[in-house]
Amino acid sequence: MQPDQRLAPLHQAVERDLLRPLDVAFAHFLAAEDASAATMLPLLGALTSRQQADGHLCLDLAMWEPLAEEAAWPASWRTLLHAATADMAGLTRSTLIAAAEDRQRTSSPLVLDGSRLYLRRYWNHEQRVAQAISTRLATSHTAPAHLPEQLARLFPSANTSGPDWQRVASALAARGAFTVITGGPGTGKTTTVVRLLGLLQTLQWKEQARALRIRLAAPTGKAAARLQASISTQIAQLDVDDAVRATIPSKVDTLHRLLGARPDSRRFRHDSSHPLHLDVLVIDEASMIDLEMMSAVLAALPDDARLILLGDKDQLSSVEAGAVLGDLCHRADAGHYSGETAQWLLDTTGDRVDAWTQSDTTPLDQHVAMLRHSHRFGVDSGIGQLAQQVNEGDAVKALQWLGGSHTDIAWANKTADASSLTDLVLHGGASRFAAHADGSQPQGYRHYLEGLREQRPHAREGAPAFETWAQGVLHAFGSFQLLCALRQGPFGAEGLNRQIAGILHLAGLIDASREWYEGRPVMVTRNDYGLGLMNGDVGIALRVPDDTGALQLRVAFEVAGQAGDATPRIRFVHPARLGERETVYAMTVHKSQGSEFEHAALVLPGESGPVLTRELLYTGITRAKRWFTLLALPDTVTYCVGNQSRRQSGLLHALDRAQKMAVAE
């Protein structure tokens, strides 16, 4: 068979890293499906496939030409793309591409919706998500008569400087079937949702004398464990009746466990035919949810159930395609509340949101609340101010702030080298910081390794002593984390982990001459339901006594306690039983989402690239609670701040269309 000459340029694009082999394979499939197709059609298919791999839901032809210039695509390709954009309607004459409004051609591999070209599977997901959200936006619960009274009880603070956004968010959630609560670190998202659940259960008992079935979930095991620990503590302090408190769950599942993931399959046990048994579903860290997972969640949700999403809209988007939370919160900063909503909030909560009302409102706007006051980062917090400047896209102020004399920020104006890494790894760069108000100082990895040796129990002290010791080692390790942008290369997780292990080995703190050694930190990279370990869980290899008293190497993980128990437990696992895992002295910023550390250090490469974005820098900064260290050149910081991630999506367009169709019907 003669090679298809139409596709020769695609193979050249693979060599230039503009396309993946998988993208070219898809182009070959399209060419075989329609041998008479113009050259541009397989090319468009390959580009759409590549867009999906880069996190976009579609290829927006109206935006592609300037992007093609930036990416230095060949001139011949730009000519073909220009022809495609000039005659987009003509593209659907091919059997490969169907128009979105064409309900007859449902098997074409590509769908053209306006100027956006989709792989059909992702177009289908987007339509389902839009339709499901549209239905919920139109499903308003009648505000209970006791709502103002209970809001005042659970949110008693009188904030004279502005609205109590936690109270506003809870009020909106109490009257709607779909609510999004967004806010930066320390703005009280977890506190809000605990009080909201107390509010909903109290109102339910007063109205119907039965408890709501509430489930809590998060995208990863780490995020689920963190939420469970936080919620368990706060429920005990909640100002509700004891009978109500007993009905508020603290157990948090991963989304995969909640939906019933089927091994080696993209399908779940719970779907539209077998919905979840619940009245309220709360999902934390929603910025990590991709479009396909959101589609699965909404499909499995009962028609009369409430969905409440929590997350930071400014964090990195999901690893897989889509930016669902970012799309839904695209106007959250300005509020965009209608006059009717503003008046209802004033009557119900006493909070004035006039400054956040607009004339161009949508139904979605009335279901989104943004928490705006950080309880973690005050006005004098260097970390908080730096995060805000990055978020606002002000590179000049960010660099000035980095170079200032802030006691919680250290900036090494260079890329990571042996000297700076050694100082961080062994001492946490403590000489660059002032001690915290409580006298504590930033630590490096020497801290947990020395504590591991000095605090080891005697074998005769028994299992409880070793569990307490292991928990102390894990907490000491978790006080510091080195973060990076890439997985590979000298400034990526793999290269940095090798360098850090070498530094610790030379310092006599670990024996890195073997794969498994005491003190090795590892991260699970794939859910293991048999062991009860989730993707993102971190453990440390420790020598603990077996049944005979002999010390054996086991990996200690901190896992959430049973529902209602806020105390985490330690699980020891034989190294041979661990499946996919990796050393984690350094982790990518993506992997760090859902975590926070006393001291976070971010290492950025000297070369610019698409992965270096404003969202990545903001997310890295906001992983730090007390101290933040940045190893990066000024040009890299400037590039990150100016490179805002804009994932191509048609979700809001699809949502608007679904709402208009519902009104027309």
Side-chain angles (χ1 to χ4, degrees):
M1 179 182 295
Q2 292 293 320
D4 193 327
Q5 294 304 314
R6 294 176 298 173
L7 305 183
L10 300 185
H11 295 279
Q12 298 168 10
V14 173
E15 297 173 2
R16 298 172 58 182
D17 201 31
L18 295 172
L19 293 176
R20 304 168 301 158
L22 180 61
D23 306 325
V24 177
F26 182 59
H28 276 279
F29 163 76
L30 295 175
E33 285 290 298
D34 186 354
S36 64
T39 304
M40 72 177 71
L41 295 181
L43 167 60
L44 289 173
L47 292 175
T48 305
S49 174
R50 176 61 198 234
Q51 285 286 93
Q52 184 273 321
D54 289 340
H56 303 285
L57 296 180
C58 57
L59 169 66
D60 194 335
L61 295 172
M63 299 172 57
W64 183 252
E65 288 193 79
L67 295 176
E69 292 283 353
E70 291 179 15
W73 290 90
S76 59
W77 290 34
R78 294 200 296 271
T79 299
L80 290 171
L81 287 166
H82 180 75
T85 57
D87 183 25
M88 281 189 271
L91 295 176
T92 59
R93 288 193 288 268
S94 168
T95 59
L96 301 177
I97 303 177
E101 59 272 15
D102 189 342
R103 303 301 179 184
Q104 303 302 314
R105 296 169 56 194
T106 58
S107 59
S108 61
L110 297 167
V111 178
L112 185 66
D113 193 341
S115 63
R116 293 176 292 273
L117 187 62
Y118 292 82
L119 302 178
R120 177 168 286 280
R121 182 159 66 92
Y122 284 90
W123 184 81
N124 287 340
H125 284 314
E126 190 172 82
Q127 300 309 301
R128 290 169 187 151
V129 168
Q131 183 59 58
I133 292 178
S134 175
T135 300
R136 293 184 182 283
L137 293 178
T139 307
S140 294
H141 295 268
T142 302
H146 299 282
L147 179 57
E149 165 197 336
Q150 295 303 321
L151 281 168
R153 176 182 178 182
L154 287 163
F155 300 91
S157 62
N159 187 354
T160 57
S161 62
D164 183 333
W165 288 105
Q166 295 185 13
R167 184 165 55 210
V168 167
S170 296
L172 293 175
R175 74 167 188 174
F178 178 78
T179 308
V180 182
I181 303 174
T182 187
T187 52
K189 294 186 291 295
T190 304
T191 300
T192 301
V193 81
V194 171
R195 294 183 184 181
L196 170 58
L197 295 181
L199 173 70
L200 294 177
Q201 285 289 35
T202 298
L203 295 173
Q204 176 75 1
W205 276 109
K206 287 183 175 296
E207 294 286 325
Q208 300 188 30
R210 73 169 182 86
L212 291 166
R213 298 169 300 173
I214 299 173
R215 299 289 298 273
L216 310 173
T220 67
K222 182 186 299 185
R226 183 175 163 216
L227 178 63
Q228 179 162 318
S230 178
I231 280 185
S232 298
T233 301
Q234 294 192 40
I235 288 175
Q237 304 168 357
L238 197 59
D239 182 17
V240 294
D241 297 342
D242 290 342
V244 171
R245 183 179 294 106
T247 63
I248 301 174
S250 61
K251 182 176 184 295
V252 184
D253 291 305
T254 64
L255 287 174
H256 281 84
R257 186 184 292 277
L258 174 78
L259 296 177
R262 298 182 185 275
D264 303 316
S265 170
R266 305 178 80 102
R267 300 177 66 84
F268 297 97
R269 182 164 55 86
H270 289 289
D271 54 22
S272 57
S273 300
H274 304 88
L276 294 160
H277 302 294
L278 53 79
D279 300 304
V280 179
L281 174 60
V282 177
I283 305 178
D284 194 20
E285 296 291 349
S287 64
M288 302 167 67
I289 306 176
D290 60 88
L291 181 78
E292 186 172 3
M293 175 57 78
M294 185 60 74
S295 178
V297 168
L298 288 165
L301 208 59
D303 293 340
D304 57 351
R306 278 188 174 95
L307 176 61
I308 300 166
L309 302 179
L310 303 174
D312 185 346
K313 67 180 179 62
D314 297 312
Q315 278 191 186
L316 281 167
S317 298
S318 57
V319 175
E320 302 297 330
V324 178
L325 187 71
D327 284 343
L328 296 175
C329 297
H330 75 297
R331 306 209 302 178
D333 288 284
H336 284 270
Y337 296 120
S338 66
E340 180 183 357
T341 296
Q343 185 60 52
W344 181 83
L345 285 170
L346 179 61
D347 295 341
T348 306
T349 69
D351 293 300
R352 290 188 176 276
V353 296
D354 297 353
W356 292 269
T357 59
Q358 307 288 338
S359 57
D360 60 327
T361 65
T362 69
L364 174 62
D365 296 328
Q366 317 313 306
H367 294 257
V368 177
M370 180 173 172
L371 309 183
R372 301 164 191 271
H373 175 67
S374 177
H375 302 277
R376 182 194 302 176
F377 301 133
V379 293
D380 60 342
S381 165
I383 296 173
Q385 291 296 317
L386 177 61
Q388 181 177 337
Q389 288 155 5
V390 169
N391 215 5
E392 293 174 351
D394 196 329
V396 173
K397 284 187 178 179
L399 287 171
Q400 290 174 343
W401 200 261
L402 280 168
S405 56
H406 307 289
T407 59
D408 56 351
I409 295 176
W411 178 33
N413 185 349
K414 59 181 179 179
T415 54
D417 55 18
S419 173
S420 57
L421 272 181
T422 300
D423 181 42
L424 265 177
V425 167
L426 296 183
H427 310 296
S431 62
R432 298 174 180 268
F433 295 97
H436 196 266
D438 62 8
S440 60
Q441 290 186 321
Q443 302 287 348
Y445 290 135
R446 177 191 288 275
H447 172 60
Y448 90 91
L449 289 167
E450 289 182 340
L452 180 159
R453 294 177 177 179
E454 295 169 0
Q455 299 166 15
R456 183 195 308 277
H458 293 289
R460 63 176 178 272
E461 294 183 60
F466 277 87
E467 290 176 9
T468 301
W469 168 65
Q471 192 168 57
V473 173
L474 283 164
H475 285 186
F477 173 77
S479 66
F480 170 68
Q481 183 63 58
L482 196 72
L483 306 174
C484 54
L486 309 169
R487 284 196 51 80
Q488 299 177 329
F491 300 108
E494 293 179 4
L496 287 169
N497 276 311
R498 285 193 297 270
Q499 294 179 67
I500 294 169
I503 291 169
L504 296 173
H505 180 82
L506 288 175
L509 295 168
I510 62 171
D511 179 8
S513 62
R514 61 188 71 189
E515 179 187 8
W516 284 103
Y517 52 84
E518 187 167 46
R520 180 190 178 191
V522 294
M523 174 185 284
V524 175
T525 57
R526 186 174 183 178
N527 293 345
D528 188 328
Y529 294 102
L531 292 176
L533 299 176
M534 300 293 118
N535 181 7
D537 285 350
V538 172
I540 296 179
L542 300 172
R543 291 188 297 125
V544 297
D546 61 14
D547 293 339
T548 67
L551 293 178
Q552 303 289 341
L553 201 66
R554 297 292 184 267
V555 184
F557 291 90
E558 188 174 73
V559 297
Q562 299 298 317
D565 181 4
T567 305
R569 298 178 295 110
I570 295 296
R571 178 171 298 154
F572 292 106
V573 180
H574 194 289
R577 294 192 64 195
L578 287 178
E580 297 182 28
R581 72 283 185 278
E582 58 190 28
T583 303
V584 71
Y585 294 116
M587 71 168 69
T588 63
V589 176
H590 257 115
K591 286 287 188 181
S592 74
Q593 287 184 269
S595 302
E596 58 185 23
F597 312 97
E598 297 293 308
H599 179 199
L602 176 59
V603 173
L604 297 179
E607 305 83 13
S608 60
V611 72
L612 299 180
T613 64
R614 182 185 304 176
E615 291 77 10
L616 180 134
L617 181 55
Y618 168 83
T619 304
I621 293 168
T622 54
R623 298 312 89 200
K625 292 176 63 178
R626 291 189 173 187
W627 302 283
F628 174 70
T629 298
L630 179 65
L631 275 70
L633 295 170
D635 286 350
T636 304
V637 175
T638 299
Y639 179 86
C640 282
V641 174
N643 185 25
Q644 187 173 17
S645 176
R646 296 187 183 279
R647 290 193 170 180
Q648 294 183 17
S649 161
L651 179 58
L652 293 174
H653 174 79
L655 181 58
D656 181 61
R657 181 168 57 197
Q659 291 172 335
K660 288 178 179 177
M661 290 177 63
V663 171
E665 292 174 356

